[in-house]
Amino acid sequence: MREPQQISPTARRAQSVERATKHSPFLAQALKKFDQIGAIFVAKGAEAAIAAALADGGEPVAVALRRQRHALALAVALGDLSEELPLERVTAVLSDFADQAIDRALALAIDERLPGATTDGFAVIALGKLGSRELNYSSDVDLQLLFDPAVLARRDRDDPGEAAVRVGRRLVELLQQRTEDGYVARVDLRLRPSPEVTPIVLPVDAAISYYESQALSWERAAFIRARAAAGDRALGNRFLGEIRPFIWRRALDFGAIEEIRSISLRIRDHFAQGQQFGPGFDLKRGRGGIREAEFFTQVQQLIHGGREPELRAPATLDALDALAKGGRLEPAVADAIGAGYRVLRTAEHRIQMVEDKQEHRLPVNRAEIDNLAALSGFGDGAAFLGWIAPHQEAVGEAFDGLVTEAGEILSNDPDILAREVAAMRFADVGQAVRLIGDWRSGRARSLRSPAARTAFEAMLPTLLRAIADSPDQGHALNRFADIVDKMSSGVNLFRLLEAQPRLASTLALILAHAPALAEQVGRRPGLLDGLIDQSSFAEPPDAQATAANLGAAAKSLAYGEALERIRLMVGERRFALGVQLIAGYRDPITIAEGYSDLAEGTIVALSALTAREFKASHGRVAGGELIVLALGRLGGRALTNASDLDLIYLYDAPDGAASTGAKSLPAADYYNRLASRVSAALAVPTASGPLYDVDTRLRPQGAQGMLAVAVSAFETYQREEAWTWEHMALCRARPLTGSPAARKKMRDLVCAILTAPSDPKQVRSAAAKMRADMAAHKPPAGTFDIKLGSGGLVDLEFAVHTLQLTRHKGLDPRLEVAIAELAEAGLIDAEADPDLRLLSAVLVVLRLVAPGPMEPAELSRGLVASLCGFDDWQSLVAAIDMARHRIAQRWQDVKGQGDDR
């Protein structure tokens, strides 16, 4: 705005009063009628003037509300003109008064019909700017009126619906009827369902049913800003709670978002008609106007708010701030839209102050613009327009970026289609043409509806270009065909791919190179929703943060719903980690640690959730706790996309302990049942699929033993009965759950077991025999099997674990840490660490690229090499061969060592 003047607050207020008197007939008349408000404002400031305007003068309600509205309009205008009140305070004061006025008018309307009755059973839902507490200086109030037939007070002879409508009519009359004292608010009830045929007050259950089954997409945006503003707020909040899933959907609906944009564009076309900014410009509906700032923000909220409740702020400025803080909007963009919104709304208020009219257009007459500028403290109209213009352009440019032009549609003529496909550089034009023809036949269930076919055709050119740029076009096309065939509905996916070309390129990469990820997309196309912005490619959170996030998301849900929510979140995160790897955002070792931390956090969160649910029926065991011990790749923080979770369930409880619940259980039964439920939470398939395959066979006595074992019994078994291979497995043991004291106790116990005196020769012999038996019973998948083949990861693990058990050094579950300590002690060569990292990286990549044969397809080999840090496939193979040779020799040396080296 203009440069602030260095004058006292009192002088600045006096100048504002002077400008209002000279340049606003409405405010000049108000200053005469409420001269004390002007005097209080100059002497004490805007807040004191507001308090005086709202003071109760003892008049009848209808008179009092009109007087208060008129006086408040003056106090707020003076605070605005003096810049003593920021935009947020101006709109909040106006909105709060509207709430109070509606509440008082409703109470009066009901009391007139049934003296002494309350407003219970009659709710007023505020929408639009009143809903977000951003009411204009001279604005309609958008309301939806609801009633509960079972609660609304009425005369015995009255039909509930008719009684509610009569109250609603009287409410509207009390608010908007003009008298000698003015009016309170203009009321707009047209945002209710089918306003041309429905009564002005709707039964709450009928309204809920409408929004659950029949509502139009644009109505979602309207309810972003909805709140229970007056009357029976509990009823209003129940209604809003019931329809919340309609407003905030976890799965993106780009059709709804496109409809909102289309509405805004139609409004722009209608009101702007190509008009440039200047005299006569519509600040609300024109390009870069208030409506576009609001719609821009609401589209971002609709995209992300279903998954992130913190983004659901009703007010535009609050929503922009939340989107920026949440990483969903560039801070510079949020700042530009926010600054533009402030200026546009302030200019709109100045227009409305002149005559107290609901006007949004700049004056056409230059003299009127100069008058508006003088009211606002500018030297002339040009300066006033110059203040607005850059902000209007910034908002317009941001909204322009949301608009997707209608894409080209590929021809139905086979010959023309073949030429179009050839122009995209497809090697096998015939295959692409055949598949497109098959899709267009409508055979696939996902393409049978008109909406699906329309969305598919709009998306197809974008996806085909992305597939044409992929190194294995044929595989990508065939895998996309599998997805189309398996989906029950493809509308959302097709719209998403059309709206997000970058996402289409990512999908093409997945289809060409990552069958494991492509299969997941086929089962759950909504997985792609999480990839629409860069936050999906952020550094993987650690296990503690993951557990906290999952626990918070499930906190207020019933057990079954909480399990489903966690499964959805974990599935999305695992998929995102795989995409990060394939797209080259993170190296394979970081991704392996990310997979491991995700699994650990999931186990911690589900264990706590299941324990709370179990406690409701069976109480708790005083002094007892369940400890989940991770082994294998999870214990070593080296999971791949396909890894099982090797777990042992232990419990620590006083002797003879039992639970305290109504269905009391001995400690052994209690923890075995609890462990079974934790395993089920991790592994039982649901609509979202299972989270993990859980393997508990490493527990004492294997599959024949109890699922959960007392810590004391576990110790006895490990010291007196366990085989060497069980101690080797224990080398990668890591407690995930339990109190800090319990986890330390387990770490100390594992260390004590592994360092117990043993015969090194017998350990080496047993290890060698077990490795030979493994090779006989579980042979490698092929010559490239870098896990089970000679010189593979298993040989390296055997070498390290044998050294750990015979030398009692390097006792850390993470192989890289163990190797570093063994190397420092001179027990293993320094090349063991890079060999481990190379083969581990290759394994992590291959579990996505070649989950079956372990050897990638020829066209994927360059990608595998690049992801593992090599320029080409031949260089990678050469490095693998050398590493495997060293590992094989290393294992031979370890199992043949003398006892006293």
Side-chain angles (χ1 to χ4, degrees):
M1 200 179 283
R2 63 195 180 284
E3 291 295 322
Q5 297 176 319
Q6 300 301 316
I7 59 175
S8 69
T10 301
R12 186 173 62 252
R13 294 170 193 151
Q15 289 181 355
S16 300
V17 171
E18 182 180 357
R19 296 202 310 271
T21 303
K22 289 182 178 180
H23 302 290
S24 167
F26 169 70
L27 294 179
Q29 185 271 338
L31 280 164
K32 289 181 180 179
K33 184 172 183 177
F34 302 103
D35 57 339
Q36 76 279 13
I37 299 296
I40 292 172
F41 167 72
V42 172
K44 298 182 180 180
E47 294 295 345
I50 289 170
L54 295 176
D56 188 356
E59 310 103 320
V61 170
V63 175
L65 293 179
R66 283 159 174 76
R67 179 193 60 76
Q68 289 175 333
R69 185 264 169 189
H70 199 171
L72 184 66
L74 173 62
V76 169
L78 295 175
D80 184 357
L81 290 172
S82 66
E83 300 179 30
E84 195 168 305
L85 297 179
L87 175 65
E88 295 94 318
R89 179 59 180 157
V90 169
T91 57
V93 169
L94 295 173
S95 301
D96 291 347
F97 170 72
D99 284 0
Q100 296 164 16
I102 295 166
D103 219 15
R104 292 181 68 186
L106 176 61
L108 177 60
I110 291 176
D111 188 72
E112 286 176 347
R113 293 190 58 78
L114 201 66
T118 69
T119 59
D120 290 353
F122 195 110
V124 180
I125 305 297
L127 301 160
K129 287 186 171 62
L130 178 58
S132 56
R133 297 182 73 241
E134 298 174 299
L135 203 60
N136 277 340
Y137 187 77
S138 179
S139 177
D140 291 352
V141 290
D142 294 310
L143 305 179
Q144 188 166 127
L145 308 180
L146 304 172
F147 78 100
D148 184 342
V151 178
L152 179 66
R154 66 184 191 281
R155 299 166 184 162
D156 292 340
R157 65 176 182 272
D158 287 349
D159 173 79
E162 293 177 357
V165 168
R166 290 190 185 101
V167 169
R169 286 175 181 161
R170 179 57 175 151
L171 168 65
V172 172
E173 181 182 32
L174 285 168
L175 292 173
Q176 71 178 20
Q177 184 180 49
R178 287 185 178 271
T179 70
E180 61 183 8
D181 298 304
Y183 70 102
V184 182
R186 291 178 292 268
V187 179
D188 191 339
L189 302 177
R190 291 174 297 173
L191 288 180
R192 70 185 187 276
S194 304
E196 66 281 358
V197 296
T198 55
I200 63 171
V201 189
L202 297 175
V204 65
D205 290 336
I208 292 171
S209 176
Y210 171 83
Y211 287 110
E212 288 179 340
S213 60
Q214 303 176 48
L216 301 175
S217 297
W218 66 265
E219 291 174 290
R220 290 178 60 196
F223 273 91
I224 287 178
R225 302 195 287 184
R227 64 184 175 87
D232 189 341
R233 288 178 173 81
L235 175 64
N237 287 325
R238 178 172 77 82
F239 164 73
L240 293 174
E242 291 286 344
I243 69 168
R244 187 172 294 119
F246 154 73
I247 307 167
W248 303 108
R249 298 176 182 172
R250 286 183 54 78
L252 298 181
D253 183 351
F254 270 83
I257 293 166
E258 187 60 38
E259 184 170 339
I260 293 166
R261 291 186 296 194
S262 297
I263 291 170
S264 184
L265 286 174
R266 290 196 295 272
I267 293 170
R268 175 193 282 186
D269 290 343
H270 178 74
F271 286 93
Q273 298 288 327
Q275 175 198 80
Q276 298 297 313
F277 176 78
F281 182 82
D282 193 315
L283 293 176
K284 180 177 181 179
R285 305 176 186 91
R287 178 185 178 274
I290 294 166
R291 182 69 58 82
E292 292 191 359
E294 293 170 343
F295 276 10
F296 177 92
T297 306
Q298 289 165 5
V299 166
Q300 314 303 321
Q301 290 180 285
L302 287 174
I303 290 173
H304 305 292
R307 299 161 180 271
E308 301 171 49
E310 62 272 16
L311 304 182
R312 300 175 186 176
T316 302
L317 294 172
D318 292 342
L320 287 166
D321 184 58
L323 287 162
K325 288 180 178 177
R328 297 305 188 180
L329 198 58
E330 288 292 332
V333 175
D335 289 345
I337 299 294
Y341 187 73
R342 289 176 187 277
V343 168
L344 291 164
R345 287 295 308 273
T346 301
E348 179 190 48
H349 284 174
R350 303 295 165 78
I351 293 170
Q352 294 171 347
M353 285 177 194
V354 176
E355 296 284 358
D356 190 27
K357 291 182 179 178
Q358 191 184 14
E359 181 59 76
H360 313 287
R361 293 168 298 178
L362 291 168
V364 175
N365 184 288
R366 286 286 181 179
E368 292 181 6
I369 293 180
D370 287 341
N371 179 73
L372 196 60
L375 174 66
S376 302
F378 289 92
D380 56 27
F384 182 70
L385 296 178
W387 168 56
I388 303 171
H391 296 288
Q392 173 266 336
E393 181 60 28
V395 172
E397 287 183 1
F399 189 83
D400 289 344
L402 286 178
V403 180
T404 54
E405 299 297 336
E408 76 273 29
I409 301 297
L410 295 175
S411 175
N412 278 307
D413 184 299
D415 293 332
I416 299 175
L417 177 61
R419 290 197 294 272
E420 291 173 334
V421 170
M424 294 180 182
R425 301 186 308 280
F426 272 91
D428 189 344
V429 172
Q431 179 201 24
V433 171
R434 284 192 302 273
L435 282 172
I436 293 170
D438 189 43
W439 293 328
R440 285 175 168 172
S441 71
R443 179 183 57 82
R445 183 170 51 170
S446 63
L447 287 168
R448 289 177 184 170
S449 72
R453 289 193 295 272
T454 299
F456 180 82
E457 291 290 352
M459 167 281 304
L460 192 57
T462 299
L463 182 65
L464 287 179
R465 277 192 291 271
I467 290 177
D469 290 336
S470 70
D472 194 342
Q473 299 169 342
H475 272 80
L477 280 171
N478 286 331
R479 285 172 181 155
F480 184 67
D482 291 340
I483 291 174
V484 171
D485 287 343
K486 290 177 181 177
M487 283 191 302
S488 58
S489 174
V491 174
N492 250 1
L493 174 61
F494 303 149
R495 285 171 171 165
L496 177 60
L497 293 174
E498 181 202 3
Q500 300 282 334
R502 183 186 64 80
L503 194 58
S505 298
T506 302
L507 177 59
L509 184 68
I510 291 170
L511 296 173
H513 296 297
L517 296 178
E519 183 182 355
Q520 293 177 43
V521 173
R523 289 198 311 265
R524 285 185 58 205
L527 287 170
L528 291 171
D529 290 357
L531 304 181
I532 60 175
D533 57 57
Q534 291 301 307
S535 66
S536 299
F537 300 97
E539 189 79 25
D542 62 23
Q544 185 176 2
T546 297
N549 291 339
L550 295 176
K555 185 175 182 181
S556 60
L557 301 177
Y559 183 65
E561 294 174 340
L563 290 181
E564 191 65 13
R565 173 67 63 85
I566 289 176
R567 287 176 178 130
L568 285 168
M569 293 175 67
V570 174
E572 290 164 0
R573 191 62 205 167
R574 286 179 76 185
F575 179 76
L577 286 169
V579 174
Q580 282 194 30
L581 175 59
I582 293 299
Y585 281 80
R586 297 281 179 275
D587 68 89
I589 300 302
T590 300
I591 295 299
E593 292 171 346
Y595 280 136
S596 303
D597 288 345
L598 177 62
E600 179 179 344
T602 303
I603 291 168
V604 171
L606 285 178
S607 295
L609 179 68
T610 306
R612 286 197 299 272
E613 176 70 10
F614 196 68
K615 178 183 175 183
S617 298
H618 301 287
R620 59 181 298 272
V621 176
E625 54 187 316
L626 181 70
I627 303 162
V628 180
L629 194 66
L631 301 100
R633 290 195 160 273
L634 177 58
R637 289 188 77 229
L639 283 184
T640 72
N641 177 69
S643 296
D644 294 349
L645 303 186
D646 292 312
L647 303 178
I648 294 178
Y649 294 105
L650 303 170
Y651 66 89
D652 198 7
D655 291 341
S659 66
T660 57
K663 299 178 181 179
S664 179
L665 294 170
D669 291 344
Y670 183 93
Y671 286 110
N672 270 273
R673 291 194 190 182
L674 178 57
S676 178
R677 293 198 181 188
V678 173
S679 285
L682 287 165
V684 171
T686 67
S688 302
L691 286 180
Y692 297 99
D693 290 327
V694 176
D695 190 339
T696 59
R697 292 173 297 174
L698 291 175
R699 66 187 186 270
Q701 308 299 338
Q704 306 304 315
M706 298 285 283
L707 181 60
V709 181
V711 170
S712 57
F714 176 79
E715 178 180 8
T716 300
Y717 175 85
Q718 290 290 342
R719 291 187 183 281
E720 298 177 6
E721 301 180 47
W723 297 78
T724 298
W725 67 264
E726 292 177 284
H727 285 171
M728 294 180 75
L730 209 57
C731 289
R732 301 186 83 173
R734 186 165 60 94
L736 306 184
T737 70
S739 64
R743 294 199 301 274
K744 182 179 185 305
K745 177 179 178 179
M746 282 308 308
R747 288 193 293 269
D748 293 343
L749 175 57
V750 168
C751 183
I753 292 168
L754 297 180
T755 55
S758 60
D759 181 349
K761 182 176 181 180
Q762 184 178 356
V763 171
R764 285 193 293 272
S765 175
K769 182 179 184 305
M770 184 174 68
R771 181 66 186 99
D773 289 345
M774 180 182 292
H777 293 100
K778 195 175 182 181
T783 57
F784 200 74
D785 190 335
I786 59 168
K787 180 180 179 182
L788 296 174
S790 176
L793 282 166
V794 170
D795 279 355
L796 182 57
E797 291 166 3
F798 266 72
V800 171
H801 295 332
T802 301
L803 288 173
Q804 289 174 310
L805 292 176
T806 57
R807 305 298 180 181
H808 300 162
K809 301 286 187 182
L811 295 175
D812 192 285
R814 296 163 296 174
L815 281 180
E816 66 275 15
V817 177
I819 286 173
E821 295 179 7
L822 291 169
E824 187 176 357
L827 299 175
I828 200 168
D829 61 286
E831 289 295 312
D833 181 73
D835 289 347
L836 168 68
R837 293 181 181 275
L838 171 61
L839 295 195
S840 295
V842 174
L843 180 67
V844 172
V845 174
L846 291 183
R847 288 304 190 209
L848 288 176
V849 175
M854 290 288 286
E855 188 164 359
E858 186 171 349
L859 287 174
S860 293
R861 291 176 178 178
L863 176 66
V864 173
S866 174
L867 295 177
C868 294
F870 289 81
D871 293 333
D872 53 60
W873 177 249
Q874 291 76 18
S875 300
L876 174 61
V877 170
I880 291 172
D881 288 343
M882 288 188 290
R884 291 181 67 170
H885 175 76
R886 288 190 294 267
I887 290 171
Q889 185 59 53
R890 204 172 282 128
W891 171 227
Q892 290 297 324
D893 292 345
V894 168
K895 68 182 180 181
Q897 285 175 3
D899 293 347
D900 302 315
R901 206 185 93 179

